DNA sequence: AACATAGTCAACCGCGCAAGT
DNA sequence: TACTTGCGCGGTTGACTATGT
């Protein structure tokens, strides 16, 4: 059965939008809100396709659209995210407040992509930015941290289409978990706080609840009994990654901005002192250490007497949390991200 | 000044997914 | 379960502008 066109093409305007059309669309959406794009043109009195209206609104008229050149920081983030996500422009745009997927896609194709082709891209601003010359999301293979995924899952992740999770999906630590951690100095389990079906998402030696992700099946059978520290740390990093509130502008972009290698180094060298909690019990020692390290690298993080607050959710993590492995996980391009 | 070429970016197009019926 | 509908996505196009000859 053939697919019906989104709207009748006859008698519709095409090409650049006029100021009058912009005003009509803006006024209509201010009153009636977004959505129902199919019927919007007729109701608003526009001779445009609904999809065209939607695109115009999202890419140009919508409040909060950031105009002007992409900054150096934004470019770095784009490169990093593209290295991680491939051509999933909407996901990348979601981590750059005010930027649209179209804008980022254009920027990539006209600037970064060309630099890659010419082999002149300078990665010096961050040695983490190892650009993949093959951005094709369908064929690209993702790098694996320390061969972990190859050894334990069977293959590198291959990018799939973006999966939308419910907006109110949030993975949090419950009091039970916090208590457990207080007793044992270690987080073992995560609970999910949402109103959608959740599936146990088992990782080696621990589990947390998560909506089924595109790659979850391939990630569920990593139950080998390898107890080496690398896997332990990867596991903890995965737990860490599960603990995000998947809504709002912070999302993963804030995480991705962090320099985990540096955080790891700070922790390792115990170089940051004089902040956080000075209580000497194990749990607070952990909090203090993490607070010291990340708090300086990432000012949005805050700390009170008993809790370390991440910008995406409240959580506590164990004393041995290894930010270097966090870096590896991020660079690996986790599909459920 | 006129033309050619390259670069930029808004807009279009077709496909696929998910929800609704 | 099959089909329809609405929407979002990524790839592509083409108009416009800048630069070079």
């Amino acid at each position: 059965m053939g697919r019906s066109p989104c709207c009748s093409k006859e008698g519709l305007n095409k090409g650049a939008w006029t100021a009058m059309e912009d005003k009509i669309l803006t006024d209509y959406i201010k009153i009636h809100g977004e959505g129902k794009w199919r019927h919007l043109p007729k109701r608003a009195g526009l001779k445009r396709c609904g999809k065209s209206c939607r695109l115009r609104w999202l890419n140009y008229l919508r409040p909060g659209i950031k105009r002007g050149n992409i900054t150096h920081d934004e470019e770095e983030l784009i490169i990093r995210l593209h290295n991680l996500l491939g051509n999933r422009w909407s996901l990348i745009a979601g981590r750059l407040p005010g930027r649209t997927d179209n804008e980022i896609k254009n920027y990539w194709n006209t600037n970064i992509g060309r630099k890659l082709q010419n082999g002149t891209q300078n990665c010096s601003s961050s040695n983490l930015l190892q650009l993949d010359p093959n951005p094709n999301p369908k064929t690209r293979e993702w790098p694996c941290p320390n061969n972990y995924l190859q050894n334990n899952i069977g293959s590198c992740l291959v990018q799939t289409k973006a999966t939308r999770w419910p907006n109110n999906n949030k993975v949090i630590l419950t009091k039970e978990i916090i208590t457990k951690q207080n007793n044992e100095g270690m987080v073992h389990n995560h609970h999910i706080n949402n109103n959608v079906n959740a599936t146990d998402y088992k990782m080696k030696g621990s589990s947390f609840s998560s909506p089924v992700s595109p790659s979850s099946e391939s990630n569920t059978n990593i139950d080998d009994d390898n107890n080496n520290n690398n896997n332990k740390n990867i596991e903890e990093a995965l737990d860490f990654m599960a603990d995000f509130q998947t809504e709002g502008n912070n999302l993963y972009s804030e995480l991705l901005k962090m320099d985990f290698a540096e955080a790891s180094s700070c922790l390792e060298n115990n170089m940051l002192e004089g902040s956080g909690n000075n209580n000497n019990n194990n749990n607070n020692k952990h909090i203090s250490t993490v607070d010291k390290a990340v708090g300086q690298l990432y000012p949005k993080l805050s700390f009170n007497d008993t809790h370390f607050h991440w910008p995406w959710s409240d959580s506590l993590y164990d004393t041995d949390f290894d930010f270097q492995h966090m870096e590896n996980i991020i660079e690996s391009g986790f599909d459920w991200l």
Side-chain angles (χ1 to χ4, degrees):
Chain A
M1 181 179 292
R3 183 184 179 82
S4 61
C6 67
C7 55
S8 170
K9 306 287 184 197
E10 292 181 12
L12 296 183
N13 293 341
K14 293 182 74 174
W17 280 64
T18 66
M20 179 60 72
E21 286 177 315
D22 284 346
K23 184 177 188 309
I24 292 171
L25 179 58
T26 304
D27 290 347
Y28 182 89
I29 291 176
K30 275 181 184 173
I31 295 169
H32 299 95
E34 295 181 45
K36 311 280 187 187
W37 298 108
R38 188 186 183 88
H39 306 293
L40 185 150
K42 195 173 182 179
R43 292 172 180 170
L46 283 166
K47 291 183 177 180
R48 289 278 179 176
C49 168
K51 292 177 75 170
S52 180
C53 294
R54 174 184 165 271
L55 203 67
R56 182 64 178 173
W57 173 255
L58 292 178
N59 286 343
Y60 198 84
L61 300 173
R62 179 167 50 111
I65 294 291
K66 194 187 287 184
R67 297 273 151 212
N69 296 335
I70 301 282
T71 66
H72 177 72
D73 285 348
E74 286 175 318
E75 179 177 308
E76 261 199 11
L77 186 56
I78 290 169
I79 293 169
R80 185 186 284 246
L81 286 166
H82 188 273
N83 205 27
L84 171 61
L85 300 167
N87 289 3
R88 288 190 281 190
W89 306 115
S90 61
L91 284 177
I92 295 172
R95 289 145 181 78
L96 287 152
R99 300 294 186 185
T100 68
D101 55 351
N102 209 32
E103 186 177 16
I104 291 167
K105 179 174 57 181
N106 284 334
Y107 185 77
W108 181 271
N109 289 335
T110 59
N111 292 276
I112 305 171
R114 186 176 303 120
K115 287 177 188 174
L116 276 179
Q117 275 188 337
N118 295 339
T120 58
Q121 173 64 43
N122 182 359
C123 301
S124 61
S125 57
S126 168
N127 58 11
L128 302 172
L129 305 180
Q130 296 176 359
L131 299 174
D132 190 329
N134 173 22
N136 186 335
K138 292 185 174 66
T139 60
R140 178 179 173 189
E141 286 197 349
W142 296 91
C144 298
N146 303 329
N147 295 325
Y148 175 80
L149 294 173
Q150 285 163 317
N151 293 337
N152 295 285
I153 297 174
S155 67
C156 289
L157 294 170
V158 176
Q159 182 181 6
T160 64
K161 199 165 178 69
T163 298
R164 297 178 196 85
W165 288 12
N167 284 337
N168 57 354
N169 175 27
K170 183 183 181 183
V171 182
I172 64 167
L173 290 172
T174 64
K175 288 179 180 176
E176 171 193 344
I177 296 166
I178 292 170
T179 303
K180 190 170 183 177
Q181 191 208 16
N182 283 341
N183 292 337
E184 302 176 12
M186 178 74 185
V187 175
H188 290 289
N189 202 357
H190 285 184
H191 289 202
I192 195 161
N193 176 24
N194 62 9
N195 57 9
V196 299
N197 292 334
T199 303
D200 279 346
Y201 190 92
K202 295 185 182 305
M203 307 303 295
K204 179 179 117 27
S206 69
S207 68
F208 58 85
S209 294
S210 160
V212 177
S213 72
S215 60
S216 60
E217 281 189 19
S218 63
N219 287 338
T220 53
N221 297 320
I222 50 176
D223 275 336
D224 65 359
D225 294 325
N226 186 339
N227 288 323
N228 66 57
N229 289 332
N230 180 52
N231 285 2
K232 172 179 174 293
N233 287 321
I234 292 285
E235 171 195 331
E236 289 158 11
L238 289 168
D239 279 351
F240 181 93
M241 293 287 281
D243 198 343
F244 294 119
Q245 182 175 351
T246 57
E247 61 182 352
N249 287 334
N250 281 337
L251 204 61
Y252 300 106
S253 61
E254 302 297 352
L255 171 72
L256 292 163
K257 289 175 187 170
M258 289 181 65
D259 188 335
F260 289 100
E262 190 175 351
S264 179
S265 173
C266 289
L267 284 169
E268 190 173 329
N269 297 327
N270 198 23
M271 58 184 283
L272 300 165
E273 295 178 356
S275 64
N277 193 318
N278 292 323
N279 191 316
N280 284 330
N281 73 39
N282 286 342
N283 182 49
N284 285 331
K285 170 177 169 284
H286 147 61
I287 294 170
S288 177
T289 307
V290 175
D291 178 48
K292 289 172 183 175
V294 187
Q296 292 208 11
L297 296 169
Y298 193 78
K300 283 186 183 180
L301 297 172
S302 61
F303 180 78
N304 65 21
D305 289 344
T306 56
H307 288 70
F308 185 75
H309 292 280
W310 302 89
W312 38 82
S313 70
D314 294 343
S315 59
L316 295 163
Y317 287 93
D318 73 284
T319 37
D320 300 321
F321 187 82
D322 188 332
F323 285 91
Q324 182 58 57
H325 288 273
M326 194 68 249
E327 178 71 41
N328 293 337
I329 285 290
I330 288 174
E331 293 299 316
S332 77
F334 250 79
D335 208 26
W336 52 268
L337 188 67

